[in-house]
Amino acid sequence: MRVIGGMHKGRKIKSLKGKNTRPTADIVREALFDILGGKIAGSRFLDLFAGTGAVGIEALSRGSESAIFVEKSLEACLIIKQNLENLALTEKSRIIRDDAESALKNLLKQGEEFDIIFMDPPYSKNKIEPILTILRDFEPLKSIIVIQHAEDELFNTDGFLCYKRKKYGKSMLTFLIRE
């Protein structure tokens, strides 16, 4: 796997062996960052269900001011750490080993603010709505929320405006903002 854009374009990043994670495909990452465009530079980026950290690393490579990676798996957190060290991005990043709901609640209670929140939970495991409920109840929320999910996965977006959806194979990117 490689970084596909920005100052680290072409640099290799490690991924996990096996099928416990599903790294975001290059074509999906490229489309994601094409859609976000100029919103990346200087942004504060949150990568929930981070896996290898490829999406957050891509954001940093493209000029994001900072990125927080939230991942429950110790093995995945170690891979993210190695990738950040190899690209000299540790000063702009933080890794939180926790489940996404708990970490998000804690981050918001601590006053953390994010310009972009990306989540790529395990498909069809009902992980999206609990995260959206936390974000729905948080005032003020000005983040762009991007969800990568299975094309047939349904979830309640009440309180949010869906301003874009793009399908890539069996994956879908849904872009939300607060109504």
PDB file of all heavy atoms in Angstrom, residues 49-84:
ATOM      1  N   PHE A  49     -11.930   4.074  13.612  1.00  0.00           N
ATOM      2  CA  PHE A  49     -11.766   2.718  13.065  1.00  0.00           C
ATOM      3  C   PHE A  49     -10.598   2.756  12.076  1.00  0.00           C
ATOM      4  O   PHE A  49     -10.709   2.341  10.937  1.00  0.00           O
ATOM      5  CB  PHE A  49     -13.035   2.229  12.357  1.00  0.00           C
ATOM      6  CG  PHE A  49     -14.294   2.319  13.179  1.00  0.00           C
ATOM      7  CD1 PHE A  49     -15.139   3.410  13.083  1.00  0.00           C
ATOM      8  CD2 PHE A  49     -14.637   1.286  14.045  1.00  0.00           C
ATOM      9  CE1 PHE A  49     -16.307   3.494  13.832  1.00  0.00           C
ATOM     10  CE2 PHE A  49     -15.807   1.355  14.801  1.00  0.00           C
ATOM     11  CZ  PHE A  49     -16.643   2.461  14.694  1.00  0.00           C
ATOM     12  N   ALA A  50      -9.462   3.267  12.523  1.00  0.00           N
ATOM     13  CA  ALA A  50      -8.357   3.664  11.652  1.00  0.00           C
ATOM     14  C   ALA A  50      -7.660   2.514  10.923  1.00  0.00           C
ATOM     15  O   ALA A  50      -7.044   2.746   9.888  1.00  0.00           O
ATOM     16  CB  ALA A  50      -7.327   4.457  12.447  1.00  0.00           C
ATOM     17  N   GLY A  51      -7.705   1.295  11.443  1.00  0.00           N
ATOM     18  CA  GLY A  51      -7.032   0.181  10.760  1.00  0.00           C
ATOM     19  C   GLY A  51      -5.546   0.450  10.616  1.00  0.00           C
ATOM     20  O   GLY A  51      -4.840   0.603  11.604  1.00  0.00           O
ATOM     21  N   THR A  52      -5.060   0.554   9.397  1.00  0.00           N
ATOM     22  CA  THR A  52      -3.633   0.819   9.155  1.00  0.00           C
ATOM     23  C   THR A  52      -3.297   2.300   9.258  1.00  0.00           C
ATOM     24  O   THR A  52      -2.128   2.676   9.224  1.00  0.00           O
ATOM     25  CB  THR A  52      -3.227   0.343   7.747  1.00  0.00           C
ATOM     26  OG1 THR A  52      -3.975   1.088   6.780  1.00  0.00           O
ATOM     27  CG2 THR A  52      -3.451  -1.134   7.562  1.00  0.00           C
ATOM     28  N   GLY A  53      -4.319   3.145   9.312  1.00  0.00           N
ATOM     29  CA  GLY A  53      -4.097   4.585   9.371  1.00  0.00           C
ATOM     30  C   GLY A  53      -3.940   5.230   8.002  1.00  0.00           C
ATOM     31  O   GLY A  53      -3.617   6.410   7.900  1.00  0.00           O
ATOM     32  N   ALA A  54      -4.188   4.479   6.935  1.00  0.00           N
ATOM     33  CA  ALA A  54      -3.940   4.979   5.581  1.00  0.00           C
ATOM     34  C   ALA A  54      -4.684   6.275   5.275  1.00  0.00           C
ATOM     35  O   ALA A  54      -4.119   7.179   4.648  1.00  0.00           O
ATOM     36  CB  ALA A  54      -4.299   3.913   4.548  1.00  0.00           C
ATOM     37  N   VAL A  55      -5.926   6.397   5.728  1.00  0.00           N
ATOM     38  CA  VAL A  55      -6.702   7.596   5.397  1.00  0.00           C
ATOM     39  C   VAL A  55      -6.178   8.811   6.163  1.00  0.00           C
ATOM     40  O   VAL A  55      -5.971   9.878   5.588  1.00  0.00           O
ATOM     41  CB  VAL A  55      -8.211   7.360   5.644  1.00  0.00           C
ATOM     42  CG1 VAL A  55      -9.001   8.651   5.442  1.00  0.00           C
ATOM     43  CG2 VAL A  55      -8.731   6.273   4.702  1.00  0.00           C
ATOM     44  N   GLY A  56      -5.928   8.659   7.447  1.00  0.00           N
ATOM     45  CA  GLY A  56      -5.373   9.763   8.226  1.00  0.00           C
ATOM     46  C   GLY A  56      -3.982  10.158   7.754  1.00  0.00           C
ATOM     47  O   GLY A  56      -3.642  11.348   7.719  1.00  0.00           O
ATOM     48  N   ILE A  57      -3.183   9.177   7.386  1.00  0.00           N
ATOM     49  CA  ILE A  57      -1.840   9.459   6.851  1.00  0.00           C
ATOM     50  C   ILE A  57      -1.950  10.220   5.540  1.00  0.00           C
ATOM     51  O   ILE A  57      -1.202  11.172   5.294  1.00  0.00           O
ATOM     52  CB  ILE A  57      -1.037   8.154   6.697  1.00  0.00           C
ATOM     53  CG1 ILE A  57      -0.653   7.625   8.092  1.00  0.00           C
ATOM     54  CG2 ILE A  57       0.187   8.343   5.808  1.00  0.00           C
ATOM     55  CD1 ILE A  57      -0.101   6.216   8.094  1.00  0.00           C
ATOM     56  N   GLU A  58      -2.898   9.829   4.721  1.00  0.00           N
ATOM     57  CA  GLU A  58      -3.137  10.534   3.457  1.00  0.00           C
ATOM     58  C   GLU A  58      -3.510  11.992   3.735  1.00  0.00           C
ATOM     59  O   GLU A  58      -3.033  12.909   3.060  1.00  0.00           O
ATOM     60  CB  GLU A  58      -4.247   9.835   2.675  1.00  0.00           C
ATOM     61  CG  GLU A  58      -4.382  10.260   1.252  1.00  0.00           C
ATOM     62  CD  GLU A  58      -3.285   9.731   0.349  1.00  0.00           C
ATOM     63  OE1 GLU A  58      -2.903   8.559   0.439  1.00  0.00           O
ATOM     64  OE2 GLU A  58      -2.808  10.531  -0.490  1.00  0.00           O
ATOM     65  N   ALA A  59      -4.347  12.214   4.751  1.00  0.00           N
ATOM     66  CA  ALA A  59      -4.731  13.583   5.114  1.00  0.00           C
ATOM     67  C   ALA A  59      -3.506  14.390   5.538  1.00  0.00           C
ATOM     68  O   ALA A  59      -3.326  15.537   5.119  1.00  0.00           O
ATOM     69  CB  ALA A  59      -5.776  13.561   6.234  1.00  0.00           C
ATOM     70  N   LEU A  60      -2.654  13.797   6.364  1.00  0.00           N
ATOM     71  CA  LEU A  60      -1.429  14.483   6.794  1.00  0.00           C
ATOM     72  C   LEU A  60      -0.512  14.775   5.606  1.00  0.00           C
ATOM     73  O   LEU A  60       0.056  15.857   5.506  1.00  0.00           O
ATOM     74  CB  LEU A  60      -0.695  13.650   7.848  1.00  0.00           C
ATOM     75  CG  LEU A  60      -1.372  13.566   9.210  1.00  0.00           C
ATOM     76  CD1 LEU A  60      -0.697  12.496  10.071  1.00  0.00           C
ATOM     77  CD2 LEU A  60      -1.368  14.917   9.914  1.00  0.00           C
ATOM     78  N   SER A  61      -0.380  13.823   4.716  1.00  0.00           N
ATOM     79  CA  SER A  61       0.458  13.999   3.533  1.00  0.00           C
ATOM     80  C   SER A  61      -0.037  15.149   2.661  1.00  0.00           C
ATOM     81  O   SER A  61       0.748  15.856   2.026  1.00  0.00           O
ATOM     82  CB  SER A  61       0.498  12.702   2.709  1.00  0.00           C
ATOM     83  OG  SER A  61       1.291  12.861   1.557  1.00  0.00           O
ATOM     84  N   ARG A  62      -1.353  15.356   2.675  1.00  0.00           N
ATOM     85  CA  ARG A  62      -1.959  16.403   1.845  1.00  0.00           C
ATOM     86  C   ARG A  62      -2.129  17.734   2.575  1.00  0.00           C
ATOM     87  O   ARG A  62      -2.808  18.619   2.080  1.00  0.00           O
ATOM     88  CB  ARG A  62      -3.300  15.908   1.311  1.00  0.00           C
ATOM     89  CG  ARG A  62      -3.139  14.782   0.306  1.00  0.00           C
ATOM     90  CD  ARG A  62      -4.484  14.178  -0.035  1.00  0.00           C
ATOM     91  NE  ARG A  62      -4.343  13.052  -0.941  1.00  0.00           N
ATOM     92  CZ  ARG A  62      -4.734  13.057  -2.215  1.00  0.00           C
ATOM     93  NH1 ARG A  62      -5.275  14.135  -2.743  1.00  0.00           N
ATOM     94  NH2 ARG A  62      -4.587  11.983  -2.960  1.00  0.00           N
ATOM     95  N   GLY A  63      -1.535  17.855   3.759  1.00  0.00           N
ATOM     96  CA  GLY A  63      -1.496  19.151   4.419  1.00  0.00           C
ATOM     97  C   GLY A  63      -2.375  19.323   5.642  1.00  0.00           C
ATOM     98  O   GLY A  63      -2.501  20.431   6.151  1.00  0.00           O
ATOM     99  N   SER A  64      -2.982  18.244   6.119  1.00  0.00           N
ATOM    100  CA  SER A  64      -3.760  18.354   7.347  1.00  0.00           C
ATOM    101  C   SER A  64      -2.832  18.791   8.483  1.00  0.00           C
ATOM    102  O   SER A  64      -1.691  18.342   8.576  1.00  0.00           O
ATOM    103  CB  SER A  64      -4.402  17.001   7.665  1.00  0.00           C
ATOM    104  OG  SER A  64      -5.249  17.102   8.775  1.00  0.00           O
ATOM    105  N   GLU A  65      -3.309  19.671   9.337  1.00  0.00           N
ATOM    106  CA  GLU A  65      -2.519  20.181  10.458  1.00  0.00           C
ATOM    107  C   GLU A  65      -2.243  19.079  11.480  1.00  0.00           C
ATOM    108  O   GLU A  65      -1.163  19.009  12.060  1.00  0.00           O
ATOM    109  CB  GLU A  65      -3.294  21.326  11.113  1.00  0.00           C
ATOM    110  CG  GLU A  65      -2.669  21.897  12.347  1.00  0.00           C
ATOM    111  CD  GLU A  65      -3.576  22.938  12.967  1.00  0.00           C
ATOM    112  OE1 GLU A  65      -3.882  23.934  12.275  1.00  0.00           O
ATOM    113  OE2 GLU A  65      -3.978  22.761  14.132  1.00  0.00           O
ATOM    114  N   SER A  66      -3.249  18.238  11.719  1.00  0.00           N
ATOM    115  CA  SER A  66      -3.099  17.164  12.704  1.00  0.00           C
ATOM    116  C   SER A  66      -4.081  16.049  12.400  1.00  0.00           C
ATOM    117  O   SER A  66      -5.077  16.256  11.699  1.00  0.00           O
ATOM    118  CB  SER A  66      -3.361  17.699  14.120  1.00  0.00           C
ATOM    119  OG  SER A  66      -4.699  18.147  14.233  1.00  0.00           O
ATOM    120  N   ALA A  67      -3.781  14.872  12.943  1.00  0.00           N
ATOM    121  CA  ALA A  67      -4.680  13.724  12.794  1.00  0.00           C
ATOM    122  C   ALA A  67      -4.647  12.905  14.071  1.00  0.00           C
ATOM    123  O   ALA A  67      -3.583  12.680  14.652  1.00  0.00           O
ATOM    124  CB  ALA A  67      -4.282  12.860  11.600  1.00  0.00           C
ATOM    125  N   ILE A  68      -5.832  12.488  14.488  1.00  0.00           N
ATOM    126  CA  ILE A  68      -5.955  11.546  15.592  1.00  0.00           C
ATOM    127  C   ILE A  68      -6.502  10.257  15.017  1.00  0.00           C
ATOM    128  O   ILE A  68      -7.486  10.263  14.267  1.00  0.00           O
ATOM    129  CB  ILE A  68      -6.876  12.093  16.709  1.00  0.00           C
ATOM    130  CG1 ILE A  68      -6.239  13.337  17.339  1.00  0.00           C
ATOM    131  CG2 ILE A  68      -7.138  11.016  17.761  1.00  0.00           C
ATOM    132  CD1 ILE A  68      -7.074  13.995  18.426  1.00  0.00           C
ATOM    133  N   PHE A  69      -5.834   9.166  15.349  1.00  0.00           N
ATOM    134  CA  PHE A  69      -6.199   7.842  14.874  1.00  0.00           C
ATOM    135  C   PHE A  69      -6.806   7.065  16.036  1.00  0.00           C
ATOM    136  O   PHE A  69      -6.164   6.919  17.073  1.00  0.00           O
ATOM    137  CB  PHE A  69      -4.954   7.091  14.379  1.00  0.00           C
ATOM    138  CG  PHE A  69      -4.254   7.784  13.244  1.00  0.00           C
ATOM    139  CD1 PHE A  69      -3.353   8.822  13.482  1.00  0.00           C
ATOM    140  CD2 PHE A  69      -4.493   7.405  11.940  1.00  0.00           C
ATOM    141  CE1 PHE A  69      -2.700   9.460  12.437  1.00  0.00           C
ATOM    142  CE2 PHE A  69      -3.846   8.035  10.886  1.00  0.00           C
ATOM    143  CZ  PHE A  69      -2.955   9.068  11.131  1.00  0.00           C
ATOM    144  N   VAL A  70      -8.017   6.565  15.868  1.00  0.00           N
ATOM    145  CA  VAL A  70      -8.672   5.768  16.898  1.00  0.00           C
ATOM    146  C   VAL A  70      -8.841   4.358  16.360  1.00  0.00           C
ATOM    147  O   VAL A  70      -9.447   4.145  15.311  1.00  0.00           O
ATOM    148  CB  VAL A  70     -10.051   6.353  17.288  1.00  0.00           C
ATOM    149  CG1 VAL A  70     -10.765   5.442  18.285  1.00  0.00           C
ATOM    150  CG2 VAL A  70      -9.894   7.769  17.847  1.00  0.00           C
ATOM    151  N   GLU A  71      -8.258   3.420  17.094  1.00  0.00           N
ATOM    152  CA  GLU A  71      -8.299   2.014  16.673  1.00  0.00           C
ATOM    153  C   GLU A  71      -8.282   1.135  17.920  1.00  0.00           C
ATOM    154  O   GLU A  71      -7.537   1.405  18.857  1.00  0.00           O
ATOM    155  CB  GLU A  71      -7.106   1.696  15.768  1.00  0.00           C
ATOM    156  CG  GLU A  71      -6.957   0.265  15.358  1.00  0.00           C
ATOM    157  CD  GLU A  71      -8.182  -0.335  14.692  1.00  0.00           C
ATOM    158  OE1 GLU A  71      -8.704   0.263  13.733  1.00  0.00           O
ATOM    159  OE2 GLU A  71      -8.621  -1.411  15.152  1.00  0.00           O
ATOM    160  N   LYS A  72      -9.098   0.106  17.921  1.00  0.00           N
ATOM    161  CA  LYS A  72      -9.212  -0.791  19.072  1.00  0.00           C
ATOM    162  C   LYS A  72      -8.122  -1.858  19.099  1.00  0.00           C
ATOM    163  O   LYS A  72      -7.650  -2.254  20.155  1.00  0.00           O
ATOM    164  CB  LYS A  72     -10.593  -1.454  19.024  1.00  0.00           C
ATOM    165  CG  LYS A  72     -11.008  -2.103  20.309  1.00  0.00           C
ATOM    166  CD  LYS A  72     -12.502  -2.301  20.321  1.00  0.00           C
ATOM    167  CE  LYS A  72     -12.872  -3.745  20.292  1.00  0.00           C
ATOM    168  NZ  LYS A  72     -14.307  -3.966  20.434  1.00  0.00           N
ATOM    169  N   SER A  73      -7.669  -2.310  17.948  1.00  0.00           N
ATOM    170  CA  SER A  73      -6.698  -3.404  17.849  1.00  0.00           C
ATOM    171  C   SER A  73      -5.278  -2.932  18.180  1.00  0.00           C
ATOM    172  O   SER A  73      -4.773  -1.981  17.570  1.00  0.00           O
ATOM    173  CB  SER A  73      -6.725  -3.988  16.435  1.00  0.00           C
ATOM    174  OG  SER A  73      -5.555  -4.701  16.149  1.00  0.00           O
ATOM    175  N   LEU A  74      -4.635  -3.609  19.109  1.00  0.00           N
ATOM    176  CA  LEU A  74      -3.247  -3.295  19.459  1.00  0.00           C
ATOM    177  C   LEU A  74      -2.343  -3.482  18.246  1.00  0.00           C
ATOM    178  O   LEU A  74      -1.494  -2.633  17.958  1.00  0.00           O
ATOM    179  CB  LEU A  74      -2.764  -4.172  20.617  1.00  0.00           C
ATOM    180  CG  LEU A  74      -1.275  -4.041  20.968  1.00  0.00           C
ATOM    181  CD1 LEU A  74      -0.940  -2.616  21.374  1.00  0.00           C
ATOM    182  CD2 LEU A  74      -0.895  -5.031  22.062  1.00  0.00           C
ATOM    183  N   GLU A  75      -2.520  -4.571  17.531  1.00  0.00           N
ATOM    184  CA  GLU A  75      -1.693  -4.840  16.352  1.00  0.00           C
ATOM    185  C   GLU A  75      -1.829  -3.716  15.319  1.00  0.00           C
ATOM    186  O   GLU A  75      -0.833  -3.235  14.770  1.00  0.00           O
ATOM    187  CB  GLU A  75      -2.103  -6.183  15.731  1.00  0.00           C
ATOM    188  CG  GLU A  75      -1.237  -6.605  14.573  1.00  0.00           C
ATOM    189  CD  GLU A  75      -1.692  -7.921  13.951  1.00  0.00           C
ATOM    190  OE1 GLU A  75      -2.819  -8.369  14.212  1.00  0.00           O
ATOM    191  OE2 GLU A  75      -0.893  -8.494  13.192  1.00  0.00           O
ATOM    192  N   ALA A  76      -3.042  -3.245  15.090  1.00  0.00           N
ATOM    193  CA  ALA A  76      -3.254  -2.153  14.133  1.00  0.00           C
ATOM    194  C   ALA A  76      -2.618  -0.858  14.642  1.00  0.00           C
ATOM    195  O   ALA A  76      -2.003  -0.117  13.867  1.00  0.00           O
ATOM    196  CB  ALA A  76      -4.746  -1.959  13.877  1.00  0.00           C
ATOM    197  N   CYS A  77      -2.739  -0.580  15.933  1.00  0.00           N
ATOM    198  CA  CYS A  77      -2.123   0.629  16.498  1.00  0.00           C
ATOM    199  C   CYS A  77      -0.609   0.614  16.317  1.00  0.00           C
ATOM    200  O   CYS A  77      -0.001   1.651  16.032  1.00  0.00           O
ATOM    201  CB  CYS A  77      -2.477   0.763  17.988  1.00  0.00           C
ATOM    202  SG  CYS A  77      -4.173   1.280  18.274  1.00  0.00           S
ATOM    203  N   LEU A  78      -0.003  -0.556  16.463  1.00  0.00           N
ATOM    204  CA  LEU A  78       1.444  -0.667  16.266  1.00  0.00           C
ATOM    205  C   LEU A  78       1.824  -0.406  14.809  1.00  0.00           C
ATOM    206  O   LEU A  78       2.851   0.225  14.537  1.00  0.00           O
ATOM    207  CB  LEU A  78       1.938  -2.043  16.727  1.00  0.00           C
ATOM    208  CG  LEU A  78       1.826  -2.290  18.242  1.00  0.00           C
ATOM    209  CD1 LEU A  78       2.169  -3.747  18.577  1.00  0.00           C
ATOM    210  CD2 LEU A  78       2.696  -1.332  19.025  1.00  0.00           C
ATOM    211  N   ILE A  79       0.998  -0.861  13.883  1.00  0.00           N
ATOM    212  CA  ILE A  79       1.245  -0.593  12.452  1.00  0.00           C
ATOM    213  C   ILE A  79       1.106   0.904  12.165  1.00  0.00           C
ATOM    214  O   ILE A  79       1.932   1.494  11.461  1.00  0.00           O
ATOM    215  CB  ILE A  79       0.279  -1.408  11.555  1.00  0.00           C
ATOM    216  CG1 ILE A  79       0.600  -2.900  11.628  1.00  0.00           C
ATOM    217  CG2 ILE A  79       0.282  -0.903  10.118  1.00  0.00           C
ATOM    218  CD1 ILE A  79       1.870  -3.322  10.928  1.00  0.00           C
ATOM    219  N   ILE A  80       0.066   1.533  12.717  1.00  0.00           N
ATOM    220  CA  ILE A  80      -0.107   2.979  12.531  1.00  0.00           C
ATOM    221  C   ILE A  80       1.125   3.713  13.062  1.00  0.00           C
ATOM    222  O   ILE A  80       1.665   4.607  12.395  1.00  0.00           O
ATOM    223  CB  ILE A  80      -1.380   3.493  13.240  1.00  0.00           C
ATOM    224  CG1 ILE A  80      -2.638   2.890  12.617  1.00  0.00           C
ATOM    225  CG2 ILE A  80      -1.443   5.021  13.199  1.00  0.00           C
ATOM    226  CD1 ILE A  80      -3.909   3.110  13.430  1.00  0.00           C
ATOM    227  N   LYS A  81       1.564   3.327  14.249  1.00  0.00           N
ATOM    228  CA  LYS A  81       2.743   3.971  14.868  1.00  0.00           C
ATOM    229  C   LYS A  81       3.965   3.832  13.960  1.00  0.00           C
ATOM    230  O   LYS A  81       4.694   4.805  13.732  1.00  0.00           O
ATOM    231  CB  LYS A  81       3.006   3.339  16.231  1.00  0.00           C
ATOM    232  CG  LYS A  81       4.138   3.986  16.998  1.00  0.00           C
ATOM    233  CD  LYS A  81       4.256   3.371  18.392  1.00  0.00           C
ATOM    234  CE  LYS A  81       5.260   4.130  19.223  1.00  0.00           C
ATOM    235  NZ  LYS A  81       6.540   3.518  19.334  1.00  0.00           N
ATOM    236  N   GLN A  82       4.192   2.627  13.433  1.00  0.00           N
ATOM    237  CA  GLN A  82       5.339   2.416  12.532  1.00  0.00           C
ATOM    238  C   GLN A  82       5.208   3.282  11.286  1.00  0.00           C
ATOM    239  O   GLN A  82       6.185   3.898  10.839  1.00  0.00           O
ATOM    240  CB  GLN A  82       5.424   0.943  12.119  1.00  0.00           C
ATOM    241  CG  GLN A  82       5.910   0.027  13.199  1.00  0.00           C
ATOM    242  CD  GLN A  82       5.890  -1.435  12.738  1.00  0.00           C
ATOM    243  OE1 GLN A  82       5.722  -1.733  11.564  1.00  0.00           O
ATOM    244  NE2 GLN A  82       6.072  -2.340  13.689  1.00  0.00           N
ATOM    245  N   ASN A  83       4.009   3.333  10.713  1.00  0.00           N
ATOM    246  CA  ASN A  83       3.802   4.136   9.509  1.00  0.00           C
ATOM    247  C   ASN A  83       4.059   5.619   9.779  1.00  0.00           C
ATOM    248  O   ASN A  83       4.716   6.299   8.984  1.00  0.00           O
ATOM    249  CB  ASN A  83       2.385   3.927   8.965  1.00  0.00           C
ATOM    250  CG  ASN A  83       2.228   2.595   8.256  1.00  0.00           C
ATOM    251  OD1 ASN A  83       3.175   2.050   7.693  1.00  0.00           O
ATOM    252  ND2 ASN A  83       1.026   2.055   8.287  1.00  0.00           N
ATOM    253  N   LEU A  84       3.567   6.109  10.894  1.00  0.00           N
ATOM    254  CA  LEU A  84       3.783   7.522  11.233  1.00  0.00           C
ATOM    255  C   LEU A  84       5.259   7.816  11.480  1.00  0.00           C
ATOM    256  O   LEU A  84       5.775   8.852  11.042  1.00  0.00           O
ATOM    257  CB  LEU A  84       2.949   7.900  12.454  1.00  0.00           C
ATOM    258  CG  LEU A  84       1.432   7.916  12.246  1.00  0.00           C
ATOM    259  CD1 LEU A  84       0.704   8.025  13.579  1.00  0.00           C
ATOM    260  CD2 LEU A  84       1.017   9.042  11.304  1.00  0.00           C
TER     261      LEU A  84
END
